Amino acid sequence: MSIGHLAEVGPVFVAGMVLLSIAFRGFAPVKGLAFTVFILGVTVTSLYYPGLFLEINGFELATLITPLIQLIMFGTGCSMGVKDFIALSKSPKSVIVGVIAQYTVMPVMSFVLANVLGFPSEIAAGLILLGCASTSVTASLFSFLAKANVALAITITSITTLMAPLLIPFLMKLFAGGYIEIDVLGMLWSMMKMVLLPIGAGLLFNKLTSGKAKWLQDAMPYVSMVGIILINAIIIASGRESILTIGLRLLVAVLLLLISGFIFGYWIGRLLGLDEKDCRTIAITTGMQNAGMVSGIAKVMGKVGTLGLASAICGPLMGLPASMLASYWGSSAQEKTPDEP
């Protein structure tokens, strides 16, 4: 099918995805996938009409990404209490399992995929670099939507990020034969501004209001969903040309890497006797990679067009399987009665 024909069916396809999402909401067996289908609809919209998500009256919408993540993280903090972290300190096993899974499963899987699929050296190194990255800062958000252990997700994300400056060069030398320099202070400060500080503010707000602002806690899942949709649309619209011209093999490789992380993360937790919520959390934190950090490293190295290709795909792609898991697990948890485990 030609590009012209694709352009003609665009509006029909976009409308169809939105209507399908609405239909799913009214059908119990697939209700949990309604949010995912809606994201797909918005994704298609941003590919067909990128201008809608690039700027408004000269204002670049990309500048909203960080504030949106901060708002989502603030809401996440509002839903938590100090008791969550105290419980984690008493049971550190889940934290240790999550951190080890992140820095073993993903680097090994990226190395295997890079070699099996036979990429050129720098493209392969970029895929391995993505696999060696720390947990995505949005893993806490998807854990929140999946009704998983948010405090555990925050802890794993923070620890893997703090360990990244030491582990990424070692892992890259081991699996890709290279050495990557990282702006340690810049990365830590970015992490603090985007995740730790907003979550801390949410925790403080929750403490000061003593749980009286229940309306805010009830509203935050919906705010989070809108935030995810807008962030995905902005990223996809910004990288539209690269996405349309990128190789199918690399797209498949990134998707397989993400799915492998979700599957291995979950079952490692199950095999080690962790409870269901922690297994879900480790699945999410293992499968979600910090694509933004990888892109930054590739840009500093001056090879964003090769080392950065895998992260360019991962950014918009990662939210799809993650939202499917979050929607499914979140819906199944919501449907249980208070007496059910």
Side-chain angles (χ1 to χ4, degrees):
M1 183 178 288
S2 69
I3 298 299
H5 288 152
L6 285 174
E8 291 173 5
V9 302
V12 176
F13 191 66
V14 169
M17 294 295 288
V18 174
L19 291 175
L20 185 62
S21 173
I22 296 173
F24 274 20
R25 291 290 298 173
F27 190 47
V30 292
K31 183 178 179 180
L33 295 177
F35 178 53
T36 300
V37 174
F38 188 75
I39 285 184
L40 286 171
V42 175
T43 298
V44 174
T45 304
S46 62
L47 285 172
Y48 273 106
Y49 311 107
L52 296 175
F53 304 99
L54 292 177
E55 63 175 55
I56 297 178
N57 295 328
F59 176 75
E60 294 186 3
L61 294 179
T63 60
L64 294 176
I65 293 177
T66 297
L68 281 172
I69 293 177
Q70 291 172 327
L71 176 62
I72 292 168
M73 292 298 103
F74 173 79
T76 302
C78 288
S79 69
M80 300 167 57
V82 177
K83 63 181 184 298
D84 297 315
F85 295 98
I86 293 176
L88 284 179
S89 66
K90 294 178 179 178
S91 303
K93 180 179 178 180
S94 295
V95 177
I96 296 172
V97 172
V99 172
I100 292 177
Q102 177 64 33
Y103 282 123
T104 55
V105 171
M106 300 306 278
V108 170
M109 287 304 304
S110 63
F111 174 77
V112 171
L113 289 169
N115 283 274
V116 169
L117 295 176
F119 293 112
S121 58
E122 289 190 358
I123 303 295
L127 180 62
I128 293 172
L129 176 59
L130 178 64
C132 294
S134 61
T135 300
S136 169
V137 296
T138 58
S140 304
L141 162 64
F142 284 99
S143 295
F144 175 57
L145 296 176
K147 304 294 190 296
N149 192 333
V150 178
L152 175 60
I154 295 168
T155 304
I156 292 174
T157 302
S158 301
I159 292 176
T160 57
T161 301
L162 291 171
M163 295 175 68
L166 295 175
L167 289 182
I168 287 180
F170 169 75
L171 291 171
M172 283 298 290
K173 184 174 182 179
L174 178 64
F175 292 107
Y179 182 84
I180 306 284
E181 291 187 56
I182 300 174
D183 181 1
V184 178
L185 294 179
M187 183 178 63
L188 291 178
W189 178 233
S190 176
M191 181 73 183
M192 288 181 64
K193 290 189 296 182
M194 190 174 295
V195 178
L196 298 184
L197 292 180
I199 286 177
L203 285 166
L204 181 61
F205 179 84
N206 190 27
K207 178 67 175 179
L208 293 177
T209 58
S210 300
K212 296 178 181 178
K214 189 176 184 300
W215 62 269
L216 181 61
Q217 295 181 10
D218 293 338
M220 282 314 300
Y222 300 99
V223 174
S224 300
M225 291 179 183
V226 173
I228 291 172
I229 292 169
L230 185 55
I231 289 170
N232 280 348
I234 293 171
I235 292 175
I236 290 170
S238 300
R240 179 178 183 270
E241 296 305 316
S242 296
I243 293 170
L244 292 178
T245 57
I246 210 150
L248 180 61
R249 272 193 306 160
L250 188 56
L251 187 149
V252 170
V254 172
L255 183 60
L256 288 175
L257 177 63
L258 299 175
I259 293 174
S260 297
F262 295 135
I263 294 174
F264 281 105
Y266 179 83
W267 284 104
I268 286 172
R270 287 290 299 271
L271 290 172
L272 293 176
L274 302 182
D275 65 37
E276 177 66 17
K277 288 182 68 174
D278 286 3
C279 290
R280 294 179 180 184
T281 307
I282 292 172
I284 292 172
T285 57
T286 302
M288 300 193 69
Q289 300 300 95
N290 195 329
M293 182 178 70
V294 173
S295 298
I297 296 171
K299 186 176 181 181
V300 169
M301 294 181 65
K303 296 181 178 180
V304 70
T306 52
L307 287 177
L309 284 182
S311 63
I313 292 180
C314 182
L317 182 65
M318 182 169 58
L320 299 180
S323 65
M324 289 179 68
L325 275 178
S327 297
Y328 174 74
W329 279 334
S331 297
S332 63
Q334 193 172 16
E335 289 171 1
K336 288 184 177 181
T337 64
D339 294 329
E340 289 182 303

